[in-house]
Amino acid sequence: MSFWPNSQEFTHHRSEEFRQSFRFIQQQIRGLFDLPDHDWDVLLLPMNGSLAIESLIRTFGGRVRVETEGAFSERVKQVHHDPAANFRFGVLHETNDSRLCDISNCDFVDAVSALPYFDFPRHAKAVVTVSSKQFCAQAIWSVVMIRKDLWVQAEPLEGYLDLCRYRTFAELGETPCTPSISGLFSFAEQLQNFDVSAFRAKIDERYFRLSRIIDGVGGEMKGGPPGLTFRLPHEYQIDTESFWIPPGNQGWRQAFLWSGSDSEFEELLEKVAQVIRESPSL
Amino acid sequence: MSFWPNSQEFTHHRSEEFRQSFRFIQQQIRGLFDLPDHDWDVLLLPMNGSLAIESLIRTFGGRVRVETEGAFSERVKQVHHDPAANFRFGVLHETNDSRLCDISNCDFVDAVSALPYFDFPRHAKAVVTVSSKQFCAQAIWSVVMIRKDLWVQAEPLEGYLDLCRYRTFAELGETPCTPSISGLFSFAEQLQNFDVSAFRAKIDERYFRLSRIIDGVGGEMKGGPPGLTFRLPHEYQIDTESFWIPPGNQGWRQAFLWSGSDSEFEELLEKVAQVIRESPSL
């Protein structure tokens, strides 16, 4: 039977299956990042990472001191920066240039494109990531990991960006508004046997193999894994269909190495090798 | 190749395919609701309906006069109600009791669970609906249809609830933040040959057949289609796995008649008939 409000879902968001999946994800995230129940809350939010970060900031006064630089830092800065704010904010990994940032003095950490490849920033008061990037789940769920002793400082903007509301519903294993149900189940599935060491090793190996080819023809690279941001010398024309083009690209291309199957990665390597072989200048 | 930021997506949210799908949906919605380009903007927001409604309200000052009553009206009222606000707000269809509300004096209309079964509220200044309920698409996209002459009154809360930001990106056929890409394509597919008359007729026929059975055994019903909210006399024990249970249910059950295939609907009818046949009291 499937006469639920959301027609494409096989269950609804107040069902026991939903709640079990919700709680399973919370437990897996706790285990993965070593977040004991007495110190940390793990909230699952049915929204994308940008909205989840805004929720965090707006739940604690709406203003932060932005401590990192880059495209994503800049976006937060434009709306929420205040040099006198209580909380410091930073982006762990600025994906546009594959750059790991110093967030060692940050209270709130945007780890949307960073976890679990990088270590969990244990000093932080709250950390945000998403299900649909490195965790390879479908429709986006955000995860806000927040120290329990932070709640006393909440001054939320009322409404659907108020994390206190999600915290109340999380006690039931639910959300205050209609979420993507299949997206939640997909996230649970990805976390079922998630092996973080194997995940990191896979990315490092992919980075090593692709970067060696690029390096071998005098290409440039920015930053490091888990993405590979590169530029080939101008005589090699790499098409724009296979790679992500960062803003203001000037020939830069990106591959997010957490995505794609092993065979797709072999095809990618072959494609780059082919571009190099077939370059008119050779 | 699939080395995009979102690992489960076959393309990315700055691709030509994405933009085409985005624009196709806008055009189909314009056609379906007769929203000419010179009068109306059609914005697609990668967020659920509750957040989309909050976005609308917060883009135009954050306060509304809530004119309707019911669970969803109440939720908006708690956060945004101000008897002196410029704009009046109403919920077209309060799903919890299947009740069509009078929104004839409302500027902003929550039509999340109402369109396209009901007529588009043409007098409104802005109307919000979603892809994942009556339109039967996967992961939720919201649609905000807004009169162009309303923008001069925008006083947005800066950030990711600011509709002006989505309007700017919509000019490119894009969103300012990472959306569900497969959700967008699913919405486009549902709109491809959407026949609103056939859709309404299907719901009416389902309502007629199910309500006749319930009526036949002295059951009660609230409101009308597109959902069926009913309660059987207490001697008939209907299980809670096949129906949605509205809050404060007291035996009330709901079936959302836009969901489910024809064969699933036949099974549903058979199930209800069986419950009635097998009731101990008969």
Side-chain angles (χ1 to χ4, degrees), chain A residues 2-8 12 54 58 75 132-133 136 158 160 177 241 243-244 256 258-260 264, chain B residues 2-8 12 54 58 75 132-133 136 158 160 176 241 243-244 256 258-259 264:
Chain A
S2 53
F3 294 86
W4 310 127
N6 287 300
S7 40
Q8 291 290 318
H12 58 82
E54 183 166 338
R58 291 206 183 276
R75 285 197 208 171
S132 54
K133 294 192 173 179
C136 297
E158 275 189 283
Y160 286 99
C177 50
E241 292 303 305
F243 296 94
W244 178 260
F256 294 91
W258 57 73
S259 294
E264 284 170 321
Chain B
S2 54
F3 294 87
W4 310 126
N6 287 301
S7 39
Q8 290 291 317
H12 59 81
E54 183 165 338
R58 291 206 182 277
R75 286 199 208 168
S132 54
K133 295 194 172 178
C136 297
E158 274 189 283
Y160 286 100
E241 292 303 305
F243 296 95
W244 178 259
F256 294 91
W258 57 74
S259 294
E264 283 170 321

Side-chain angles (χ1 to χ4, degrees), chain B residues 27-36 40 115-122 127 129 135 143 145 196 200:
Chain B
Q27 282 314 113
Q28 295 298 99
I29 294 287
R30 281 189 189 287
L32 188 58
F33 297 132
D34 186 21
L35 305 172
W40 291 85
L115 290 178
Y117 181 76
F118 296 109
D119 286 336
F120 186 87
R122 302 207 68 78
V127 178
T129 194
F135 285 115
V143 184
M145 294 153 284
V196 69
R200 290 170 176 171

Side-chain angles (χ1 to χ4, degrees), chain B residues 167-206:
Chain B
R167 186 193 188 200
T168 304
F169 274 82
E171 287 168 23
L172 303 171
E174 293 186 9
T175 56
C177 50
T178 311
S180 169
I181 298 162
S182 55
L184 187 84
F185 283 87
S186 163
F187 192 13
E189 202 181 309
Q190 293 298 331
L191 289 171
Q192 188 89 48
N193 294 304
F194 191 84
D195 180 337
V196 69
S197 307
F199 172 79
R200 290 170 176 171
K202 180 182 80 175
I203 287 182
D204 289 339
E205 195 213 333
R206 288 179 173 188

Side-chain angles (χ1 to χ4, degrees), chain B residues 61-113:
Chain B
R63 302 275 117 192
V64 286
R65 270 179 283 164
V66 178
E67 299 281 326
T68 51
E69 289 183 0
F72 289 90
S73 302
E74 196 52 40
R75 286 199 208 168
V76 171
K77 204 166 189 169
Q78 279 170 15
V79 177
H80 303 289
H81 185 64
D82 178 348
N86 281 334
F87 298 108
R88 285 166 295 186
F89 172 90
V91 176
L92 178 50
H93 185 248
E94 278 282 359
T95 47
N96 282 355
D97 42 9
S98 285
R99 187 166 40 85
L100 190 62
C101 303
D102 177 8
I103 46 82
S104 58
N105 65 351
C106 294
D107 305 298
F108 297 166
V109 175
D110 168 349
V112 165
S113 296

